Amino acid sequence: MITSFHLARWQEFRRVVASLQRDCKSQLETEQEAKEAFSFLNSQVKSLRAAFATLSDLVVEEVDNMRSDLHKLREQQKLTLAELTEAARLQAESEERSKQMQRELLNLRSKIRRIALVAAAPSIREDMALIQNALEASQKGMKDLSRRCSRAEKDQVAGYEDLSRRCSLAEKDQ
């Protein structure tokens, strides 16, 4: 026999079961949403990892390129320094030759003047004038050579200063 007590228990049992069913359904929905959110977050993390890997590859490549450029600039600086040293040596040598030729020219002029005083014949005087002209042309050539060497050295110094400035800028950028 079913009594009201049993009936009340039965109804309470049905309410509890219905409540549990609703809770289960709600929990399943929550779990499904959590699973979807986790899946979405997981895909976002994978995307971020790929992006960071690409970014780090680019940064490493750029640093390698900068190192390579800096190495090339340093090599160029060494070559320019060697060229400047050679230009300075050539200029010093040229100046020494120029001084030596000037001394020789003065000696020759002195000899020509002595010979010209002694020489009475017009043909000797003409020969002396030709020699004098040749010596003056030689002196002009030496002066021109000295000017060109100085100009070349100045150009090389300007190139070296520009290269040095670019190296300094490249080092600062690193």
Side-chain angles (χ1 to χ4, degrees):
M1 213 167 158
I2 299 181
T3 64
S4 66
F5 171 75
H6 287 354
L7 190 59
R9 293 280 267 154
W10 179 252
Q11 287 177 347
E12 187 178 329
F13 179 71
R14 286 182 76 192
R15 276 191 300 246
V16 169
V17 168
S19 174
L20 284 174
Q21 284 178 338
R22 283 190 307 271
D23 288 347
C24 272
K25 184 177 178 182
S26 174
Q27 188 170 358
L28 283 174
E29 288 173 355
T30 304
E31 285 179 10
Q32 183 62 29
E33 287 174 2
K35 186 177 178 182
E36 289 172 3
F38 179 76
S39 177
F40 175 75
L41 286 175
N42 195 23
S43 69
Q44 292 295 312
V45 167
K46 285 180 182 178
S47 294
L48 282 173
R49 282 184 180 163
F52 277 118
T54 302
L55 181 62
S56 68
D57 289 345
L58 288 173
V59 167
V60 167
E61 184 179 331
E62 190 60 30
V63 167
D64 287 344
N65 287 340
M66 289 175 70
R67 283 181 181 156
S68 175
D69 291 346
L70 183 60
H71 178 72
K72 288 177 186 175
L73 283 172
R74 286 183 177 155
E75 288 299 316
Q76 191 176 12
Q77 183 181 20
K78 288 177 185 176
L79 290 174
T80 303
L81 184 59
E83 289 172 355
L84 283 173
T85 303
E86 179 64 15
R89 186 190 64 78
L90 288 174
Q91 182 180 7
E93 187 177 298
S94 172
E95 288 174 359
E96 182 59 36
R97 284 183 183 172
S98 176
K99 288 177 184 177
Q100 182 182 0
M101 289 185 79
Q102 285 177 355
R103 285 190 301 269
E104 289 176 8
L105 181 63
L106 289 174
N107 288 337
L108 284 174
R109 280 186 180 168
S110 175
K111 286 179 184 178
I112 289 172
R113 286 187 185 123
R114 278 187 260 137
I115 292 173
L117 292 174
V118 173
S123 63
I124 294 175
R125 287 187 187 138
E126 291 175 79
D127 290 342
M128 291 295 178
L130 290 174
I131 292 171
Q132 178 101 18
N133 290 338
L135 287 174
E136 290 173 0
S138 173
Q139 185 179 20
K140 288 179 184 176
M142 285 305 295
K143 287 180 182 178
D144 184 50
L145 175 63
S146 179
R147 267 187 257 115
R148 284 187 292 170
C149 284
S150 294
R151 198 173 316 127
E153 182 183 10
K154 288 177 185 176
D155 291 344
Q156 286 181 341
V157 167
Y160 176 75
E161 290 172 349
D162 182 53
L163 177 62
S164 179
R165 186 174 49 256
R166 286 188 285 154
C167 285
S168 296
L169 289 174
E171 287 176 356
K172 287 179 182 176
D173 288 342
Q174 276 192 337

